[in-house]
Amino acid sequence: EAGVAQSPRYKIIEKRQSVAFWCNPISGHATLYWYQQILGQGPKLLIQFQNNGVVDDSQLPKDRFSAERLKGVDSTLKIQPAKLEDSAVYLCASSLVRRANEQYFGPGTRLTVT
Amino acid sequence: LAKTTQPISMDSYEGQEVNITCSHNNIATNDYITWYQQFPSQGPRFIIQGYKTKVTNEVASLFIPADRKSSTLSLPRVSLSDTAVYYCLVGEETGANNLFFGTGTRLTVIP
């Protein structure tokens, strides 16, 4: 069974530039999550989708972050404009609807903002 | 949102059994207890989940007392490859996900 795919694996941008991350969840997983993990901390949930709809985006900085999940499969997370404090690993995870605590994570995208 | 408290770090020798205890005094009736493992440069990996009493799988055991205010992850005969950060989380199985990862416990296995 294929795992959660993410790209790119690494990205370096200057502040005020924009960046986008892509995620392809495990087939059949209706729920998709985006997390931000700053060095030395645990992952922090940014947004949760169930199929096409947003379940929770309370911790998403909506002035600069946006996410979408078209057709209930792939998802993209965008940052525009980026700030230095956005340097982190961005993790995508997916799960079955009835097993929200058993999430499968991708390898993450390491973003460095200079 | 139920928070958890766990030791920041632990050291253990190879071959020993490691027990990591997590406190979750405000756990709700519908919350499950879940543990994840994270290696450097990788995403977290689901290890085990339980609601009450004891759960065992091929990787670990999870012990939950009757009051459910704490839980203990037990790793039998650890090896160097078990060096990782272990997160204890509580949350419901469905609906809006309230998992809060915290900083976890950094386990270092010593040869």
Side-chain angles (χ1 to χ4, degrees):
Chain A
E1 177 182 275
V4 176
Q6 290 189 247
S7 68
R9 290 296 312 277
Y10 305 92
K11 190 73 176 178
I12 301 174
I13 62 172
E14 296 182 351
K15 59 183 179 182
R16 291 187 290 274
Q17 287 187 321
S18 62
V19 64
F21 312 124
W22 173 83
C23 173
N24 179 247
I26 290 174
S27 178
H29 282 190
T31 309
L32 184 148
Y33 316 80
W34 282 103
Y35 289 86
Q36 179 193 60
Q37 185 169 26
I38 294 172
L39 188 64
Q41 300 180 19
K44 183 184 83 171
L45 180 69
L46 293 176
I47 189 167
Q48 176 186 350
F49 292 94
Q50 186 168 313
N51 297 309
N52 294 339
V54 175
V55 176
D56 181 6
D57 64 356
S58 57
Q59 298 193 84
L60 186 74
K62 298 180 185 62
D63 57 333
R64 299 184 300 107
F65 286 63
S66 64
E68 61 181 9
R69 190 182 185 198
L70 300 176
K71 301 181 181 179
V73 181
D74 293 4
S75 177
T76 56
L77 176 70
K78 297 179 182 177
I79 308 175
Q80 181 181 12
K83 292 185 175 181
L84 295 177
E85 58 262 35
D86 297 331
S87 293
V89 175
Y90 290 85
L91 295 160
C92 179
S94 69
S95 74
L96 296 172
V97 171
R98 295 188 177 280
R99 295 283 293 177
N101 293 336
E102 186 174 348
Q103 299 178 21
Y104 292 82
F105 283 78
T109 297
R110 181 175 298 278
L111 173 67
T112 302
V113 182
T114 62
Chain B
L1 183 61
K3 295 289 181 71
T4 60
T5 302
Q6 53 185 124
I8 294 175
S9 64
M10 295 179 67
D11 293 337
S12 175
Y13 288 103
E14 269 192 299
Q16 289 189 330
E17 178 184 73
V18 171
N19 295 311
I20 306 175
T21 297
C22 178
S23 172
H24 27 80
N25 291 318
N26 296 323
I27 189 169
T29 302
N30 293 334
D31 285 343
Y32 283 72
I33 300 155
T34 311
W35 286 80
Y36 280 80
Q37 173 192 57
Q38 186 174 27
F39 298 114
S41 301
Q42 294 185 25
R45 181 177 77 109
F46 172 89
I47 300 176
I48 197 167
Q49 176 177 285
Y51 185 79
K52 61 180 178 180
T53 62
K54 176 184 174 182
V55 180
T56 297
N57 62 20
E58 65 277 6
V59 176
S61 295
L62 178 60
F63 298 91
I64 305 169
D67 66 5
R68 303 198 330 120
K69 293 184 182 299
S70 67
S71 59
T72 299
L73 176 72
S74 180
L75 304 173
R77 298 179 298 280
V78 294
S79 64
L80 297 177
S81 62
D82 292 317
T83 294
V85 178
Y86 292 82
Y87 295 97
C88 165
L89 307 95
V90 295
E92 295 187 29
E93 275 280 65
T94 61
N97 179 261
N98 291 318
L99 290 187
F100 178 75
F101 275 81
T103 53
T105 297
R106 182 173 299 277
L107 172 66
T108 302
V109 180
I110 305 165

